[in-house]
Amino acid sequence: MYKNAEVEELKKKVILCIIVFIFVITIGLLFIFNRFGSDVDAVSRALQRKETFVVFFTDDNNCDSCSLVKEELNALGVSYYNFDVKASSYQSVLKRMKVDYEVRLPAIYVLIDGEVSFNITNIETRKMVRDFIQNNNVISLIGQES
């Protein structure tokens, strides 16, 4: 009888551990999909629909000037998708964009009807971003599609 009580107590602890494990995994997966999923999925959908859009490739952990580029894009009023290169679909998106070379971060790509029209990589200054946006009339291109 004494062993049964210990076994029952052990069973309860195992069940509790399994429930906690499933809960933690679920929360973790939700966090990952929310962190990398929204703009990543939107870029894939936009490519499928052959839309005109701007995508900003970034790596927040290993990119010193990414925040500078993001601030300048926001200041200029450019609507863009923020794509973290750590996302699992990064290589497949590059393949669908027909980009077969190394993308030096930070990078901005302008796609018209789902095809790469303009891009700039390895951006170091705000002036580079501003000149790229102005010289290629990116704001008016994106505005025409809306």
Side-chain angles (χ1 to χ4, degrees):
M1 193 77 160
Y2 182 70
K3 287 185 178 182
N4 282 343
E6 286 180 0
V7 170
E8 290 300 318
E9 186 67 29
L10 189 58
K11 282 182 183 178
K12 289 178 183 178
K13 287 181 181 180
V14 168
I15 290 172
L16 180 64
C17 287
I18 290 172
I19 291 171
V20 169
F21 177 76
I22 290 171
F23 179 74
V24 168
I25 293 297
T26 303
I27 296 297
L29 289 174
L30 287 173
F31 174 73
I32 288 171
F33 285 122
N34 284 337
R35 171 75 169 101
F36 298 120
S38 59
D39 279 355
V40 171
D41 292 342
V43 170
S44 296
R45 281 192 303 276
L47 280 168
Q48 247 178 352
R49 295 178 185 155
K50 297 187 185 287
E51 295 177 5
T52 297
F53 62 98
V54 175
V55 62
F56 170 51
F57 290 107
T58 183
D59 182 351
D60 292 331
N61 297 335
N62 298 322
C63 179
D64 296 331
S65 55
C66 285
S67 60
L68 171 132
V69 174
K70 194 180 294 186
E71 289 171 8
E72 191 63 25
L73 286 171
N74 291 336
L76 292 170
V78 177
S79 177
Y80 63 93
Y81 293 115
N82 190 31
F83 196 104
D84 195 321
V85 298
K86 292 179 295 215
S88 60
S89 62
Y90 174 61
Q91 291 299 324
S92 66
V93 165
L94 287 181
K95 185 182 281 187
R96 289 169 69 194
M97 289 172 54
K98 298 178 182 145
V99 174
D100 57 357
Y101 50 86
E102 179 187 3
V103 176
R104 307 262 331 250
L105 302 179
I108 301 170
Y109 280 75
V110 178
L111 290 91
I112 299 175
D113 298 328
E115 300 288 326
V116 175
S117 294
F118 315 108
N119 70 66
I120 183 172
T121 62
N122 199 25
I123 305 166
E124 297 175 357
T125 65
R126 292 179 187 272
K127 184 175 179 354
M128 288 175 72
V129 176
R130 202 172 319 113
D131 290 346
F132 174 76
I133 298 299
Q134 290 171 348
N135 292 340
N136 295 304
N137 296 318
V138 172
I139 296 173
S140 65
L141 284 173
I142 302 303
Q144 290 174 356
E145 282 295 311
S146 297

